């Protein structure tokens, strides 16, 4: 029987998830489809009930619904509970299970570039849904997080959540500060740069060789990453995070290993116009 999957968000037109997942189904020989649906915030509850009624096996959740969807679900995995955000839903025995693969996907993409121990200092810029997923996924590692956000209460809340879970985190003031010179890695998780806009503060004083990550991948190189490059930093965009959050969602839905290389090829080919 054909299985149905989707991604819901607003906006959603440019989502690459259908291309990546459909390539996976083809490579694995699965009968399944993956669609994208624009869902306005006021229609979220109705959309969730509709997807359930139509028998969708699972769906991804993107901006701005990752936190708002929680009250509509029956259960959360440990990863979703830790992150306080959901990017993957699975319909199981007529119950909706919310999960988070943003964090685990990010860790899978980061591990090629950074050793996640030895007390590394990692600055997380932003405290939204993606930042929560990333911070909580980093919590079990021996790393020190420095979290800063435009709305400081959200950074404080996230730092407290990390500490409650046994991790190490401090809150820093939003903007340029001494934390920059201490960081071994910077992870930019805000939506600044999606429209190619410049970052609101400079990276003056950053250590050369510091790994600077922007989880945005369209534009391929945000002004933030461009400025990091001029300061001799290693840079990484968010395409592999997208790949691995999709791979992990795929494995959560099918309880089977995903065809990673087929999904990667499809994703990178789809990104050709923006690279
Ligand atoms: N590569 C991937 O696979 C992947 C996965 C998930 C998300 N993303 C990207 O990550 C970004 C954030 O996603 P999200 O789900 O975390 O969104 P979100 O929950 O809405 O959080 C948005 C974050 O951006 C901050 N922000 C927005 N506009 C700002 C501005 N003008 N100045 C300062 N801070 C600003 C918010 O700060 P406040 O708290 O002050 O509002 C908040 O920290 C998006 O660009 C999304 O495309 C990429």
């Amino acid at each position: 029987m054909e299985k149905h999957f989707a991604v819901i968000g607003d906006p959603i037109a440019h989502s690459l998830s259908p291309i990546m997942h459909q390539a996976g189904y083809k490579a694995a020989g699965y009968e399944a489809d993956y669609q994208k649906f624009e869902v306005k915030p006021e229609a979220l509850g109705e959309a969730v009930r509709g997807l359930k009624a139509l028998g969708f096996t699972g769906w991804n959740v993107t901006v701005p619904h990752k936190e708002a969807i929680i009250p509509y679900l029956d259960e959360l995995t440990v990863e979703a509970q830790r992150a306080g955000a959901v990017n993957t839903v699975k319909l199981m025995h007529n119950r909706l299970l919310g999960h988070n693969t943003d964090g685990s996907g990010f860790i899978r993409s980061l591990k090629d570039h950074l050793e996640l121990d030895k007390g590394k200092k990692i600055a997380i810029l932003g405290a939204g849904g993606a930042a929560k997923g990333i911070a909580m996924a980093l919590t079990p590692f021996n790393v020190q997080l420095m979290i800063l956000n435009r709305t400081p209460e959200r950074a404080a809340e996230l730092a407290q959540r990390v500490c409650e879970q046994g991790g190490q985190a401090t809150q820093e003031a939003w903007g340029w500060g001494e934390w920059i010179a201490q960081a071994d890695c910077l992870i930019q998780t805000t939506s600044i740069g999606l429209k190619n806009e410049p970052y609101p503060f400079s990276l003056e004083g950053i250590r050369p060789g510091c790994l600077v990550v922007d989880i945005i991948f369209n534009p391929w190189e945000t002004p933030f990453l461009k400025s990091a490059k001029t300061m001799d930093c290693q840079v990484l965009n968010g395409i592999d995070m997208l790949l691995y959050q999709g791979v992990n969602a795929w494995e959560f839905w099918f309880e089977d290993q995903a065809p990673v290389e087929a999904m990667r090829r499809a994703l990178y080919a789809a990104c050709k116009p923006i690279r």
Side-chain angles (χ1 to χ4, degrees), residues 66-67 70 75-87 98-104 107 127-141 145 147 154 157-167:
K66 290 185 188 188
E67 294 173 51
I70 291 175
E75 223 176 303
L76 298 181
T77 61
V78 172
E79 290 83 351
Q81 284 174 36
R82 273 203 202 120
V86 163
N87 80 326
H99 184 42
N100 190 305
T101 67
D102 280 335
S104 59
I107 299 287
K132 277 186 191 157
I134 289 170
M136 299 320 299
L138 284 167
T139 295
F141 295 92
L145 303 183
I147 303 173
R154 294 181 86 191
E157 203 179 297
L158 182 53
Q160 192 184 339
R161 197 193 279 251
V162 168
C163 295
E164 282 167 3
Q165 297 288 328

Side-chain angles (χ1 to χ4, degrees), residues 172-194:
E172 305 294 328
W174 176 245
W176 185 90
E178 283 176 10
W179 58 269
I180 290 180
Q182 296 170 20
D184 298 296
C185 174
L186 252 59
I187 305 170
Q188 190 320 96
T189 74
T190 76
S191 27
I192 305 168
L194 277 175

Side-chain angles (χ1 to χ4, degrees), residues 7 23 58 62 67 100 103 114 120 126 137 158 184 202 246 251 269:
V7 57
T62 189
E67 294 173 51
N100 190 305
L114 190 75
K120 290 257 158 55
L158 182 53
D184 298 296
S202 95
E251 293 177 348

Side-chain angles (χ1 to χ4, degrees), residues 260-271:
V260 178
E261 288 317 312
M263 293 169 79
R264 186 196 304 274
R265 272 196 304 278
L267 198 53
Y268 275 69
C271 287

Side-chain angles (χ1 to χ4, degrees), residues 5-234:
F5 298 91
V7 57
I8 60 170
D10 177 28
I12 202 66
H14 295 107
S15 172
L16 297 173
S17 291
I19 290 171
M20 167 173 60
H21 283 277
Q22 281 158 5
Y25 306 148
K26 199 172 166 199
Y30 285 177
E31 259 188 66
D33 66 47
Y34 189 110
Q35 302 175 57
K36 52 188 168 193
F37 296 122
E38 182 181 296
V39 173
K40 296 286 175 202
E42 60 277 16
L44 181 60
E46 239 175 302
V48 171
R49 282 189 290 277
L51 289 165
K52 185 179 177 186
L54 290 167
F56 273 66
T57 304
W59 59 89
N60 287 126
V61 182
T62 189
V63 177
H65 305 312
K66 290 185 188 188
E67 294 173 51
I69 198 168
I70 291 175
Y72 301 106
L73 306 176
D74 299 304
E75 223 176 303
L76 298 181
T77 61
V78 172
E79 290 83 351
Q81 284 174 36
R82 273 203 202 120
V86 163
N87 80 326
T88 304
V89 176
K90 182 176 180 174
L91 179 61
M92 281 179 88
H93 313 300
N94 209 34
R95 286 172 65 76
L96 294 176
L97 178 60
H99 184 42
N100 190 305
T101 67
D102 280 335
S104 59
F106 180 77
I107 299 287
R108 242 168 124 165
S109 75
L110 194 66
K111 273 188 167 168
D112 288 343
H113 306 272
L114 190 75
E115 260 187 281
L116 283 175
D117 54 14
K118 300 181 181 159
K120 290 257 158 55
K121 288 197 169 185
I122 300 181
I124 298 183
L125 316 184
K132 277 186 191 157
I134 289 170
M136 299 320 299
L138 284 167
T139 295
F141 295 92
N142 177 21
V143 293
Q144 294 179 40
L145 303 183
M146 302 181 283
I147 303 173
L148 45 150
N149 191 47
R150 175 181 62 178
T151 308
E153 294 78 18
R154 294 181 86 191
E157 203 179 297
L158 182 53
Q160 192 184 339
R161 197 193 279 251
V162 168
C163 295
E164 282 167 3
Q165 297 288 328
Q168 304 170 64
T170 54
Q171 183 201 356
E172 305 294 328
W174 176 245
W176 185 90
E178 283 176 10
W179 58 269
I180 290 180
Q182 296 170 20
D184 298 296
C185 174
L186 252 59
I187 305 170
Q188 190 320 96
T189 74
T190 76
S191 27
I192 305 168
L194 277 175
K195 293 177 188 143
N196 248 320
E197 64 273 41
Y199 216 67
F201 52 84
S202 95
L203 298 179
E204 193 84 33
I206 196 166
R207 288 186 196 168
C210 178
L211 176 64
V212 177
V213 185
D214 194 328
I215 68 167
I216 292 171
F217 58 84
N218 186 9
W220 195 251
E221 218 173 72
T222 56
F224 177 79
L225 280 193
K226 281 193 179 124
S227 86
K229 242 183 174 175
T230 65
M231 299 188 158
D232 295 329
C233 298
Q234 305 176 62

